[in-house]
Amino acid sequence: MITSETKNTSLNDLIHRLSGCSGAHPHEHPRDLSVNKAQEIIAQFIQPIHQVEKIGILQALGRILAEDVISGMSVPAHDNSAMDGYAFAGDALSETDESTYRIVGAAYAGRPFQGSVAEGECVRIMTGAVMPDGCDTVVPIELSDQVGDTQIKIPAGRLQAGNNRRRAGEDLAIGKTALRKGKRIRPADLGLLASLGIAEITVQRRLRVAFFSTGDELRSLNEPLDVGCIYDSNRYTLHAMLTRLGCELIDMGVVKDDPILLESCFRNATESADVVITTGGVSVGDADYTRQIMSQLGEVASWSIAMRPGRPMAFGKLNSNGKSAYLFGLPGNPVAVMVTFYFFVKQALLHMQGAENATPILVPATSKFPIKKRPGRTEYQRGIVELNAQGELEVSITGSQGSGILRSMSEANCMIVLDHDHNEVHAGDRVKLVLFDGLI
Ligand code: AMP
Ligand code: MG
């Protein structure tokens, strides 16, 4: 039998092909799927959206470019001065003798010198001012000696022809690709677009993401906390992570472990969003109806992933009244929610918007202390990384690493990633980590 490689590949086919499971029982899902395989299955199953919109660049931070931006002009448009000083023709500079130039005028940024400059002449010039005709070199004020009001002297051997001149087009030449399709717009990109005079760009439309928490024990903020209940924190971390990804949020609140309520909520979410994210109810407890309802509404795999935290996770596609949405049924434990979001959902949401590869960069560091680790699963430990006296990165874990201990995430500034086959870590071993923050 030929397995289809096309867009319509079913989730089951993909799972069987990529996880190496036999196809004998098409509805049997693999146990303890590795993180890499799960990421691969998600990446192949999820299809990018193709709707785009034109927006002003001030609205574009974090959005994903839907087409290349080609420069319609050279930046800078003219050769100009990199320093405050005097501009002149550099070919007469001597290595052995000092040179003298007569000042014939001044050039300011935005107010060019109008005439042309002959041999032995120079123009007082400010940073950013257009180089006058006949000039290719600028001597900075501090390297020149002014003689009266009309002349300068430049000591021998301090300067070469062409120094301190910025060339037209050195930032960006006309006709060149300034930004590539798939780029997530960052502050520098907004500045670059503005420097090209571009006020609007075409970006992928924002993804609509519906999310809700499931569990009888969950209370929302401002509700009384009955005995045995806890506040729902997952919806707040999800809200924050999805906001940073630039998604349009549909916050559907807390849903009780009740099959009828759950089904109606899944249907609403599927009919109004591109992606549905839930937390809780995907393990095998008695009240975990979430899994059951999800599988009734679409093609959903219930995974046990070889990872810690975050083992149970559901993934697939839901259908309701002719609409469909991708589903991520994340675990209930707050740290597991964040870990599965960062290492599965985030990439998938970016991929859906046609973003360039968004795999996080792993940075090497030395572990200050031993870390327990069992081979056969990927572990994500919350860490604090700092520079030691030798200027090298050293990391230690943030106390208790239980998957319910959200404080471990809050105190951490990085996540230590211990690969599937990694054994326990000894003090002084090299480990890999993902930093939480870079520059803003
Ligand atoms: P579950 O997978 O539904 O059994 O949930 C696993 C654990 O995570 C339980 O201790 C839940 O109380 C906890 N949990 C589930 N959802 C949330 C939530 N939204 N906020 C905080 N803790 C939660
Ligand atoms: Mg629950």
Side-chain angles (χ1 to χ4, degrees):
M1 207 178 81
I2 297 164
T3 314
S4 162
E5 295 276 346
T6 67
K7 291 182 172 187
N8 300 320
T9 304
S10 84
L11 183 55
N12 261 323
D13 284 350
L14 262 180
I15 291 170
H16 288 132
R17 184 155 48 84
L18 294 178
S19 68
C21 267
S22 89
H25 305 287
H27 297 291
E28 192 180 81
H29 296 299
R31 302 292 300 168
D32 288 340
L33 191 64
S34 74
V35 166
N36 289 346
K37 286 277 182 261
Q39 285 169 335
E40 212 178 315
I41 293 167
I42 293 169
Q44 294 214 17
F45 187 65
I46 291 224
Q47 296 301 320
I49 54 162
H50 293 290
Q51 292 105 328
V52 301
E53 60 182 329
K54 208 164 192 168
I55 57 172
I57 63 168
L58 282 179
Q59 275 68 54
L61 190 62
R63 301 292 295 273
I64 290 157
L65 258 186
E67 50 192 41
D68 288 353
V69 173
I70 308 293
S71 176
M73 57 186 272
S74 286
V75 180
H78 306 277
D79 286 7
N80 68 80
S81 176
M83 303 288 269
D84 290 339
Y86 297 91
F88 56 95
D91 51 4
L93 277 171
S94 158
E95 280 288 317
T96 47
D97 301 313
E98 74 171 11
S99 321
T100 304
Y101 294 90
R102 193 165 62 83
I103 305 169
V104 294
Y108 299 87
R111 264 193 288 148
F113 175 70
Q114 297 297 346
S116 69
V117 179
E119 204 185 320
E121 294 177 344
C122 71
V123 164
R124 176 101 172 90
I125 194 164
M126 312 302 147
T127 305
V130 171
M131 290 292 279
D133 278 352
C135 297
D136 62 1
T137 306
V138 172
V139 59
I141 287 210
E142 56 274 22
L143 281 190
S144 63
D145 299 317
Q146 188 158 347
V147 188
D149 282 346
T150 56
Q151 282 195 338
I152 56 159
K153 284 188 190 308
I154 304 173
R158 306 286 289 273
L159 204 68
Q160 287 178 344
N163 281 178
N164 305 310
R165 167 190 49 166
R166 299 178 185 147
R167 300 305 297 258
E170 73 174 16
D171 193 349
L172 207 64
I174 186 166
K176 285 272 183 317
T177 304
L179 296 174
R180 292 213 175 275
K181 175 181 172 172
K183 186 162 210 297
R184 256 185 107 192
I185 300 291
R186 296 187 303 192
D189 304 321
L190 292 187
L192 185 66
L193 289 163
S195 76
L196 295 174
I198 295 174
E200 285 188 327
I201 51 171
T202 305
V203 296
Q204 300 285 348
R205 80 154 163 80
R206 301 203 306 159
L207 287 182
R208 280 185 288 276
V209 180
F211 59 106
F212 56 92
S213 300
T214 70
D216 285 339
E217 75 282 25
L218 303 178
R219 294 292 176 271
S220 293
L221 295 184
N222 302 319
E223 281 180 2
L225 206 54
D226 304 319
V227 179
C229 291
I230 57 171
Y231 284 119
D232 167 18
S233 58
N234 290 342
R235 231 161 15 95
Y236 295 84
T237 44
L238 273 180
H239 192 288
M241 293 186 292
L242 289 166
T243 300
R244 284 220 167 149
L245 273 182
C247 298
E248 218 174 90
L249 308 187
I250 308 175
D251 181 348
M252 302 185 66
V254 172
V255 183
K256 295 252 181 288
D257 293 314
D258 172 306
I260 293 172
L261 288 175
L262 280 167
E263 174 167 350
S264 120
C265 224
F266 271 118
R267 285 190 179 281
N268 273 341
T270 304
E271 288 167 31
S272 48
D274 302 299
V275 178
V276 179
I277 301 176
T278 63
T279 67
V282 287
S283 42
V284 288
D286 286 345
D288 292 336
Y289 300 112
T290 314
R291 243 164 58 138
Q292 201 181 310
I293 309 286
M294 288 170 179
S295 5
Q296 284 166 15
L297 291 179
E299 197 186 9
V300 175
S302 286
W303 283 334
S304 170
I305 301 178
M307 68 187 288
R308 194 174 136 125
R311 206 159 67 92
M313 192 178 99
F315 168 69
K317 199 169 191 175
L318 303 175
N319 304 305
S320 181
N321 291 322
K323 298 271 177 62
S324 65
Y326 292 109
L327 165 81
F328 289 90
L330 305 186
N333 277 310
V335 181
V337 168
M338 296 195 76
V339 169
T340 47
F341 185 93
Y342 284 135
F343 293 94
F344 298 114
V345 185
K346 177 184 161 192
Q347 268 94 336
L349 296 182
L350 288 170
H351 172 61
M352 272 185 87
Q353 297 173 84
E356 63 196 358
N357 187 1
T359 320
I361 291 178
L362 291 166
V363 178
T366 303
S367 181
K368 258 172 137 168
F369 304 105
I371 307 175
K372 286 202 194 104
K373 162 72 170 71
R374 226 173 57 191
R377 66 185 187 198
T378 307
E379 294 193 15
Y380 299 90
Q381 307 263 346
R382 281 70 76 201
I384 295 176
V385 63
E386 54 197 5
L387 280 181
N388 65 15
Q390 290 75 48
E392 286 150 4
L393 291 179
E394 260 185 3
V395 67
S396 48
I397 57 175
T398 57
S400 173
Q401 296 281 309
S403 66
I405 300 178
L406 201 47
R407 188 163 50 86
S408 69
M409 275 304 279
S410 175
E411 285 174 357
N413 64 4
C414 69
M415 190 102 69
I416 306 167
V417 182
L418 301 173
D419 288 338
H420 194 86
D421 296 322
H422 209 297
N423 269 303
E424 75 182 291
V425 175
H426 303 105
D429 281 358
R430 296 286 264 180
V431 291
K432 289 176 294 177
L433 50 87
V434 183
L435 295 170
F436 284 173
D437 293 314
L439 298 172
I440 54 162

